[in-house]
């Protein structure tokens, strides 16, 4: 059933609008967004759709096709729990007192680290922007979603996921300067080069992840203060900076500064039409995340190593880390070899069977036509 049909059944009325916003993978530029750095994500074919009508009484009625039971009725923002916080947070950040009826349908693989929460924030922000005539730009909608996640949900994420969901373009990656918020859609024509970006979902998420994310962010902010810069983006003399730091902070700075350079190098290769050469940068990013930033996990490392053994041109963990997914750049005729290699490596260790998805870059948030396309 389409999300619009589900709305009709649930609320016995026509939805006033239907929007869809996608999840994302990040090609490169990991843990750089909250350091005012560079990222290069793109939107993936899985996302969240929302059929929405406005109300006037401040009540939010919310139904998800992924949960059983009747719609949840929220009369005060503080009542929101679990996944509804990502929706209600957007209303709260807008200071909205009108409310709405919403039906939500998501198809982002659960737990794969493909930013279903950002997709949810962006789809709600986009629908409310239209319904209430707010005149927000896609970047302002992304910032609204980030604020909901930071201030309402309490996860201190950067802007990458929401920006990817709001601003991506089919066939392109999104180059984003997280300080100026300037962005550019960079062509990523994988098929023309006989390539694919394979998502390897490890199906594992290590629970300490959320506290560790905040801790990494705090390490970076503390290092920036010691170095006398606004953000690690501003470190130019890496050797000089490292000589002033020790322990974890030293390692975090090494990662962030080199990762920003890797984003720029990768953009340079794409611009030169040398997409087949980006693999080495993906590999270097993974090692840096594993050894310097310490956000990988055994399942991610094995996914990357087995992908490379199977013939991938490069591979790395993607997203926050501690589980979720890795990506591998693979020639089309090697995809089954790579999948087999990863599957075997997991089976040997007695791990859950990994899942594989083909990551083609799709459009960011958009209004869905009446036919439900
Ligand atoms: C999570 C956050 C993003 C970003 C990545 C790491 O996905 O939501 O803002 O920091 O981790 O690059």
């Amino acid at each position: 059933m389409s999300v619009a049909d589900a709305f009709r059944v649930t609320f016995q009325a026509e939805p006033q609008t239907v929007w869809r916003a996608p999840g994302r993978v990040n090609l490169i530029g990991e843990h750089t967004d909250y350091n005012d750095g560079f990222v290069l994500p793109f939107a993936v074919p899985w996302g969240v759709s929302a059929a929405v009508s406005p109300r006037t009484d401040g009540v939010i009625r919310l139904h998800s096709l992924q949960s059983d039971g009747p719609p949840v009725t929220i009369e005060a923002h503080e009542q929101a729990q679990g996944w509804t916080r990502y929706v209600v947070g957007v209303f709260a950040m807008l200071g909205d007192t009108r409310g709405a009826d919403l039906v939500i349908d998501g198809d982002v693989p659960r737990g794969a680290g493909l930013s279903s929460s950002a997709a949810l924030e962006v789809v709600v922000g986009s629908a409310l922007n239209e319904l209430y005539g707010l005149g927000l730009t896609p970047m302002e909608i992304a910032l609204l979603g980030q604020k909901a996640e930071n201030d309402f949900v309490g996860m201190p994420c950067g802007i990458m996921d929401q920006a990817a969901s709001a601003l991506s373009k089919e066939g392109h990656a999104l180059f984003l300067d997280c300080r100026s918020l300037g962005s550019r859609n960079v062509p990523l024509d994988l098929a023309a080069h006989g390539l694919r970006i394979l998502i390897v979902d490890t199906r594992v998420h290590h629970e300490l992840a959320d506290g560790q994310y905040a801790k990494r962010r705090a390490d970076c902010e503390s290092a920036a203060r010691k170095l006398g810069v606004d953000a690690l983006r501003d470190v130019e003399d890496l050797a000089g900076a490292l000589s002033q730091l020790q322990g974890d902070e030293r390692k975090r700075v090494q990662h962030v500064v080199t990762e920003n350079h890797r984003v720029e190098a990768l953009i340079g290769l794409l611009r030169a039409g040398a997409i087949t050469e980006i693999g080495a940068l993906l590999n270097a990013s993974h090692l840096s995340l594993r050894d310097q930033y310490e956000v990988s996990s055994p399942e991610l490392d094995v996914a990357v190593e087995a992908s490379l053994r199977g013939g991938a041109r490069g591979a790395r963990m993607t997203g926050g880390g501690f589980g979720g997914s890795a990506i591998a750049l693979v020639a089309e005729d090697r995809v089954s070899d790579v999948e087999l290699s990863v599957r075997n490596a997991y089976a040997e260790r007695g791990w859950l069977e990994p899942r594989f998805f083909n990551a083609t870059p799709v459009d960011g948030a958009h209004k869905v036509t009446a036919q439900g396309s």
Side-chain angles (χ1 to χ4, degrees):
M1 193 190 309
S2 78
V3 73
D5 285 342
F7 188 99
R8 289 177 194 111
V9 171
T10 307
F11 296 121
Q12 306 290 309
E14 277 299 301
Q16 209 144 356
T17 194
V18 180
W19 278 77
R20 177 163 176 93
R24 64 96 187 92
V25 291
N26 187 17
L27 190 53
I28 201 158
E30 215 66 85
H31 289 279
T32 47
D33 60 353
Y34 52 82
N35 289 300
D36 278 3
F38 306 122
V39 293
L40 193 62
F42 62 87
V44 291
W46 310 279
V48 181
S49 301
V52 189
S53 285
R55 296 175 68 92
T56 52
D57 58 0
V59 172
I60 301 170
R61 288 195 299 171
L62 194 53
H63 180 56
S64 158
L65 295 191
Q66 281 67 51
S67 61
D68 304 327
V72 180
T73 300
I74 292 166
E75 285 169 3
H77 294 158
E78 312 75 66
Q79 291 169 351
Q81 283 179 357
W83 70 272
T84 68
R85 291 171 305 156
Y86 298 97
V87 176
V88 176
V90 174
F91 285 85
M93 294 307 116
L94 283 172
D96 180 80
T97 54
R98 290 164 288 195
D101 289 336
L102 305 95
V103 172
I104 304 287
D105 186 17
D107 61 0
V108 182
R110 214 173 254 267
L114 303 180
S115 290
S116 54
S117 50
L120 187 50
E121 292 149 8
V122 169
V123 83
V124 171
S126 302
L128 296 185
N129 184 43
E130 180 201 338
L131 292 178
Y132 292 137
L134 302 175
L136 302 175
T137 63
M139 180 53 86
E140 286 167 341
I141 292 170
L143 288 165
L144 175 68
Q146 183 200 15
K147 198 164 157 48
E149 190 145 347
N150 290 171
D151 298 352
F152 195 81
V153 179
M155 156 69 180
C157 65
I159 187 63
M160 172 172 74
D161 306 342
Q162 291 81 3
S165 182
L167 295 164
S168 288
K169 195 170 141 196
E170 184 181 352
H172 292 71
L174 179 77
F175 174 62
L176 175 68
D177 177 333
C178 300
R179 169 169 282 165
S180 70
L181 298 183
S183 69
R184 199 153 34 89
N185 298 106
V186 182
L188 188 68
D189 198 352
L190 295 158
H193 293 84
L195 290 169
R196 223 179 252 192
I197 290 179
L198 192 67
I199 298 174
V200 184
D201 173 9
T202 66
R203 307 189 60 196
V204 178
H205 183 73
H206 293 283
E207 269 322 322
L208 27 94
D210 298 345
Q212 289 294 323
Y213 185 92
K215 197 161 171 302
R216 292 298 177 285
R217 198 170 169 155
D219 285 347
C220 291
E221 284 162 8
S222 156
R225 272 194 302 277
K226 286 183 189 159
L227 296 170
V229 291
D230 286 344
L232 294 184
R233 146 77 171 272
D234 300 310
V235 173
E236 280 177 7
D237 172 12
L238 177 60
L242 294 181
S243 71
Q244 297 175 57
L245 298 169
Q246 290 169 340
D248 285 352
E249 287 180 8
R250 198 183 140 93
K251 292 200 254 182
R252 308 307 181 233
V253 170
Q254 166 102 37
H255 167 73
V256 172
V257 174
T258 58
E259 184 78 352
N260 275 327
H261 286 296
R262 282 186 286 272
V263 178
E264 293 189 290
L266 200 148
I267 293 275
L269 288 174
L270 290 183
R271 207 179 288 132
I275 190 170
T276 48
E277 304 302 317
I278 68 174
L281 291 167
L282 303 182
N283 296 339
S285 172
H286 185 76
L287 294 182
S288 179
L289 287 157
R290 186 189 74 184
D291 299 339
Q292 311 299 331
Y293 218 69
E294 299 177 291
V295 291
S296 189
S297 70
E299 297 83 5
L300 286 166
D301 294 341
V302 167
V304 166
E305 287 153 21
S307 294
L308 295 175
R309 270 202 309 280
R313 299 188 69 99
R316 59 182 288 274
M317 54 157 276
T318 187
F322 303 106
S325 294
I327 53 170
L329 181 73
V330 188
E332 265 159 14
D333 58 0
R334 302 301 296 269
V335 170
S336 50
D337 294 344
V338 169
E339 290 186 1
L340 186 65
S341 172
V342 179
R343 224 177 253 127
N344 286 344
Y346 271 52
E348 272 164 29
R349 290 165 178 80
W351 292 347
L352 219 57
E353 192 176 338
R355 288 187 297 186
F356 301 94
F357 305 99
N358 181 11
T360 42
V362 302
D363 278 333
H366 55 277
K367 191 175 154 90
V368 177
T369 61
Q371 286 72 35
S373 69

